[in-house]
Amino acid sequence: MELKDYRPMWKELGLNLEGHDQLLAVLGNTYKDIYMSQEDRPKGMQYLDFVISEAHGLRIEELMETKKKGNKVVGTFCVYVPEELILAVGGTCVGLCAGAEIGIDEAEKVLPRNTCALIKSFMGFKLAGLCPYIQASDLVVGETTCDGKKKAYEILNDYKETYVMEIPQMKTERDRTLWRGEVVQFKEKVEEISGKKITPNNLREGIKIANDKRRALQRLSALRKAIPSPISGLDALLVNQIAFYDDPLRFTKNINTLCDELEERIKSRMGVTKNGTPRILVSGSPMAVPNWKIPFIIETSGAIVVAEESCVGERSTRDLVREDGDTLDKMIDAIVDRYFKIDCACFTPNEERTNHILDLVKEFKADGVIHYSIQFCTPYTVEAYKVEKAVQKTGIPFLKIETDYGMEDIGQLKTRIEAFLEMARKCN
Ligand code: BJ8
């Protein structure tokens, strides 16, 4: 099959074609090495392979098509941005967080070196002209979560206008009032850029689309409780990563088809590992595409990741928006309540997160917890202390890892993870 030439589209979007070619070459090789080398992958993963292969091609073409029809594309960096409001006006929400080192040299011209890799990566992608999603976005939405992000948006705003939502840092009634005001203001912003009013009817539809996507992801998550697990942690992570930029209706349909296949696998006791393989819960900073380093090391060291307590995982999918609201006000309240439950480490105090990790350990029969923080991510690195204390009480081993997107420490990490898995095996 002849490959389509997307270069005219990339040029029109203002991408740096040479750098972009290099990015695609590196991504293609990494994906082949990490994903295509796995054994016994479910057939349903072919859809995800296809989406990844067309992430900068067909999917961008689709975004350009919808823009031609007058619909808006909104780029976001955080699961706090209510997708329902964007969907209500026929818009598309795309995740802009990046998980690759490429472009970091450019980022370090405007950001301190000791900034977390996720922030440097999205800044680098913009400055080096490598991200077709930010180029295609009609609105970019930042948020006041961690200090690094909120200050970086001030700089990003010089290159691409960035609307910032204020996220409270505590969960009192006063914070909820602030958050409700932010959601209402964001609704008005979405109405302004789209030229469309948000009504109970179109918002109901937006809520349903976003909830259906989350239901499919919850279904996938629940199937990973089976022993042996019918899908690798790497593949499940990929599904959660792609959820941030694929067409939500098509994605939901394909993930439900994948889940049908996994149910069949479970019935015939078919898994991707043998019984007795240590089951690991990974918790912490989000892993944006193509950040596959830690699960790759874990799963090539004889263990399996059974859940991710992270925004690219459980944290962004476990709660639904109530669907019983019959007025716009009640629907907005349902959105406010749902998002207010997100237990990001940017909140204080944040006991919900620790309790949730303990629940996941039980539900997924985890033999060990690996806490992952991106280097220089203060919220998650500091919160790891409390998580460690809580997990230690359960008697299962806990490992704290801090790393960036580079590959230099892969040998050292592998040695530490292998030693940890020895302990996890004893708890198995
Ligand atoms: S709700 S986790 S998506 S803020 S890794 S940039 S926290 S220094 S990404 Fe996040 Fe929203 Fe919270 Fe989720 Fe800062 Fe840490 Fe970097 Fe982070």
Side-chain angles (χ1 to χ4, degrees), residues 77-80 97 116-119 122 143 145-149 284-286 311 315 342 344-346 374 376-380:
F77 299 97
C78 179
V79 298
Y80 246 93
C97 283
C116 107
L118 187 145
I119 299 174
F122 74 64
E143 73 305 319
T145 44
C146 66
D147 288 351
K149 267 177 151 185
S285 303
C311 283
R315 197 175 311 119
I342 298 171
C344 172
C346 296
I374 298 179
F376 308 122
C377 168
T378 307
Y380 284 92

Side-chain angles (χ1 to χ4, degrees), residues 1-213:
M1 195 176 73
E2 205 180 316
L3 291 176
K4 185 161 181 186
D5 181 14
Y6 292 112
R7 287 171 75 91
M9 176 177 74
W10 295 332
K11 197 166 170 205
E12 195 189 319
L13 283 167
L15 293 186
N16 158 2
L17 293 185
E18 207 181 308
H20 188 250
D21 283 350
Q22 285 168 10
L23 168 72
L24 293 191
V26 172
L27 268 184
N29 287 336
T30 311
Y31 192 76
K32 207 166 106 217
D33 291 348
I34 293 184
Y35 275 90
M36 306 318 277
S37 60
Q38 295 181 96
E39 286 172 12
D40 296 328
R41 291 179 85 208
K43 279 201 187 63
M45 286 308 295
Q46 284 170 8
Y47 172 70
L48 287 301
D49 293 339
F50 174 72
V51 175
I52 271 280
S53 70
E54 289 293 340
H56 283 209
L58 187 61
R59 183 64 186 133
I60 302 299
E61 204 171 60
E62 288 176 349
L63 296 183
M64 300 314 279
E65 281 303 311
T66 188
K67 278 158 71 82
K68 271 191 209 139
K69 290 181 194 148
N71 299 317
K72 299 297 172 191
V73 173
V74 179
T76 63
F77 299 97
C78 179
V79 298
Y80 246 93
V81 179
E83 186 177 1
E84 294 77 359
L85 297 170
I86 300 162
L87 293 166
V89 295
T92 307
C93 185
V94 290
L96 297 177
C97 283
E101 258 204 319
I102 298 175
I104 278 185
D105 289 348
E106 285 302 310
E108 287 182 355
K109 290 181 186 160
V110 300
L111 291 169
R113 284 200 68 203
N114 59 353
T115 302
C116 107
L118 187 145
I119 299 174
K120 282 201 273 192
S121 184
F122 74 64
M123 186 68 83
F125 267 69
K126 172 61 195 153
L127 299 188
L130 300 174
C131 179
Y133 288 91
I134 195 164
Q135 298 305 104
S137 295
D138 297 289
L139 178 70
V140 168
V141 187
E143 73 305 319
T144 60
T145 44
C146 66
D147 288 351
K149 267 177 151 185
K150 92 185 148 207
K151 298 312 284 181
Y153 296 138
E154 292 173 16
I155 300 171
L156 185 66
N157 190 50
D158 293 342
Y159 301 91
K160 180 93 183 178
E161 195 186 332
T162 306
Y163 173 92
V164 176
M165 292 185 82
E166 183 170 355
I167 312 291
Q169 308 279 291
M170 297 179 87
K171 295 209 171 151
T172 65
E173 250 330 282
R174 202 176 50 198
D175 295 301
R176 189 190 177 281
T177 306
L178 181 150
W179 175 232
R180 194 181 195 286
E182 279 300 309
V183 172
V184 170
Q185 198 169 298
F186 182 61
K187 166 189 160 288
E188 287 160 7
K189 182 71 187 175
V190 171
E191 288 177 329
E192 178 202 314
I193 62 150
S194 65
K196 294 177 191 161
K197 270 270 165 237
I198 293 181
T199 65
N201 279 344
N202 62 25
L203 187 53
R204 185 172 299 113
E205 187 56 23
I207 290 173
K208 181 162 178 353
I209 295 172
N211 273 350
D212 284 348
K213 179 165 74 167

Side-chain angles (χ1 to χ4, degrees), residues 297 410-420:
I297 300 175
I410 234 174
Q412 195 193 41
L413 287 172
K414 195 164 170 59
T415 308
R416 288 183 64 204
I417 287 174
E418 280 173 352
F420 169 78

Side-chain angles (χ1 to χ4, degrees), residues 173-326:
E173 250 330 282
R174 202 176 50 198
D175 295 301
R176 189 190 177 281
T177 306
L178 181 150
W179 175 232
R180 194 181 195 286
E182 279 300 309
V183 172
V184 170
Q185 198 169 298
F186 182 61
K187 166 189 160 288
E188 287 160 7
K189 182 71 187 175
V190 171
E191 288 177 329
E192 178 202 314
I193 62 150
S194 65
K196 294 177 191 161
K197 270 270 165 237
I198 293 181
T199 65
N201 279 344
N202 62 25
L203 187 53
R204 185 172 299 113
E205 187 56 23
I207 290 173
K208 181 162 178 353
I209 295 172
N211 273 350
D212 284 348
K213 179 165 74 167
R214 293 182 192 119
R215 281 186 196 102
L217 290 166
Q218 288 175 356
R219 193 177 159 207
L220 171 68
S221 170
L223 293 169
R224 295 168 73 195
K225 291 178 188 169
I227 300 178
S229 174
I231 185 168
S232 70
L234 272 167
D235 277 337
L237 173 64
L238 184 70
V239 171
N240 279 291
Q241 290 173 330
I242 286 177
F244 286 92
Y245 64 89
D246 195 15
D247 173 78
L249 295 176
R250 182 180 55 207
F251 174 83
T252 301
K253 185 168 159 274
N254 277 284
I255 300 313
N256 277 318
T257 306
L258 171 68
C259 289
D260 294 341
E261 183 188 349
L262 299 185
E263 276 171 7
E264 289 306 314
R265 281 187 163 212
I266 293 170
K267 270 191 217 146
S268 54
R269 304 194 64 78
M270 180 180 176
V272 286
T273 53
K274 293 190 222 73
N275 280 344
T277 301
R279 299 166 61 82
I280 303 302
L281 169 69
V282 174
S283 165
S285 303
M287 293 177 185
V289 177
N291 179 6
W292 301 308
K293 184 161 108 174
I294 297 299
F296 175 69
I297 300 175
I298 297 171
E299 296 199 333
T300 50
S301 302
I304 182 157
V305 177
V306 288
E308 300 78 22
E309 188 280 322
S310 157
C311 283
V312 184
E314 287 284 313
R315 197 175 311 119
S316 73
T317 57
R318 71 171 181 256
D319 297 308
L320 301 178
V321 174
R322 292 189 311 275
E323 292 181 18
D324 56 355
D326 51 2

